[in-house]
Amino acid sequence: MNDEPIGGEDETLSGWRPLAYKLPRPTAVDNLATALSTRGLSDAAAWTLARSAVRPDDMRRKLTEATELRVQGGTLSIVETRLWSASVIPHPANPREYGRRQYPLGGSGSTVATTPEPGSLIGRDAELELCIPTPDLLAQRLEDTKDRLLRENPLAYDIAAEGVLQPLTVVALTVVHANGHPRASLLVAADGSSRVSAVHSLLDYSPCRVAYEWGRDDRKYRKEINRWIRHAQKQGWDGLREDERQKLRALTVPARVVVGFDPHSQTNQRFHTAVRNFIGLTHIRPPRPYGPAVENEAKADAVLDSLVEPARTGPAHITDAEKHWFAATVTAEEVLAKGLSRHSDVRAASIVKSLLGGGVGTSRRVNEGIRSLTAKLRPKREERVDIAVELILRPLRAGKEGDLGFIRSRRAALQRVYRLPEIEDLPAGPLIESDEGGGRALEQLRDQALEEAGLGHGNDGRLSVAQTELAVKAVYYMAVAEPMALQREIFGGSGDEDDRSPATVLRAMLSCRRGILQAYEVVRAGRRGDKLYEVGESGHRVVTATGSHRELTDSLVRHAYTGEPLAEAAVGYPAAAVRWASVRNSVDSLQRNVKVMAAVPQQVGGRSQVEEEGWDPAAVAALREDLDHIDRSVARWSDRHKELELLREAEQDPTDTID
């Protein structure tokens, strides 16, 4: 037997007529396996790849001129060929399912086991490794993946007529079973799982059979392929039924097989990250986006990988235990065993601080992870916020598969509130209050926040550190409560609605004593799993005329914390701080109004009226004069503040004392 096809390709109105390939000779398979081994692949991976090739001799020739494909962090070596469909399985952790995954940290509500992300096989350049408890778990996961992909991205109809047109991206994967079952060497579609699932559906293949039966029994594998080859030879193309023709069109798939990886010396990136980067550049960015929620989840895993790796000039930003805690890929019991907090608000605050706090240094590390998938030069802060929120929401999806509105509304609220600018000012390092060693008690966090409010922080337009941490923790429970105690603002209403953003409402709340006590009580109740109730100035629950307690709602919070100046703040710094907050809000409003005016078109769909026609010079001059007057006033205040600071420093300088 030889590797040359008999017959030829023929495209007719009734569909594609594939080449009638023969089963490869064993010696051709052995030669290809030897050639692959010399490129650094393990013997098991080399054999698995060699037996999957429709034309092993042709693939061996192409190895000498492998195509280089640059991705973020390195260069992949690719060989384009055709593979037998009976040798490839869908990716067991397919990114298209991110939006519906159930994570272990969600608890008993999880209905589908989460497959861990494959890592790089140590000692090999271009192989993945997946550690999983048992073969049964992977088999079930592969079946679930196939069924979901067939529903959500149905391609079987097109493939039945034309075969697979676009090549899969295939990589070698070694599966390690924790229960001692022998390792399995597989080929997975890093890109193309939907196409593989459609092909398997047409051929009536079970992906777990491909992985565990044909993967370890070469005789059964070759027998399955050969039965279709012999049937086509016996009947001839014209003698085949249409369903048989469809199976023959799906018998092989075009593939880009990854046979090597060269990381860039500057990044020293690992192979599994490079593969994910390639998938991200294919799907997270156009032309086939997965959707915002899925994109943010994919970016989140890339960001965690970036943060857990040591920087070129410093240590890792988070520990490996924190990475899995943030990713929600550990159970609640494992969280406690690793010495991490059992409280959801502490986890949320830790994610927020690790991804959004810490200033420019943190932003750069997070942006590195985002760029690995999207190649964006300057990811915006809003994108980093959305990624943090997606991580926070992962455990909440347990048991909420059919209630997309629940997650959607919480996502909207948290995305808005965690845009609070003060979060960027949170210093690097542990939280003020946590379960970890050295952390202070929640009561101490409350007391520090009260001290900061007493100094005017919040009323001056910026919360201080303890106020911000308490706000971040409290708003988690306020957003996930039922009913929600804080929602996103309403746009386009009658005009009577409170259209302040959740971040603005939260700042007003944490700027006064009652609001801080309310936030403290929210965290306490949330940790106990209790409902949230309103508290008064004393910090005790408010009792209504009927003797009941009043449940905390969005409208109640907005009514109680309007951000209006306090009557007792009539003189001194507290009163001035309130007025400064009003000035700041007025400037923000002015900036928004300028943008709104600039967006007014000359006509529907036209260019900006003011950009094209300009505005009355006299009116502009008068406005600029007013703005200049304001600028000189606030600059004078700033100069005076600096002058007093210098005087105080001079008074405290020990070199100025007389011996």
Side-chain angles (χ1 to χ4, degrees), residues 367-382:
N367 286 349
E368 286 176 7
I370 297 173
R371 279 195 294 267
S372 70
L373 287 187
T374 66
K376 283 187 177 180
L377 292 178
R378 295 181 180 86
K380 296 182 178 179
R381 181 173 184 269
E382 289 77 9

Side-chain angles (χ1 to χ4, degrees), residues 611-656:
E611 294 294 341
E612 290 297 308
E613 302 292 338
W615 201 250
D616 177 43
V620 172
L623 176 60
R624 293 185 65 184
E625 184 177 348
D626 291 340
L627 293 175
D628 186 56
H629 177 73
I630 295 171
D631 180 60
R632 290 197 300 271
S633 296
V634 295
R636 188 170 64 253
W637 301 344
S638 176
D639 291 342
R640 178 56 178 164
H641 191 276
K642 293 176 182 177
E643 179 183 327
L644 292 175
E645 281 189 335
L646 290 174
L647 288 173
R648 282 192 289 268
E649 289 175 3
E651 291 174 356
Q652 296 172 3
D653 190 344
T655 61
D656 291 343

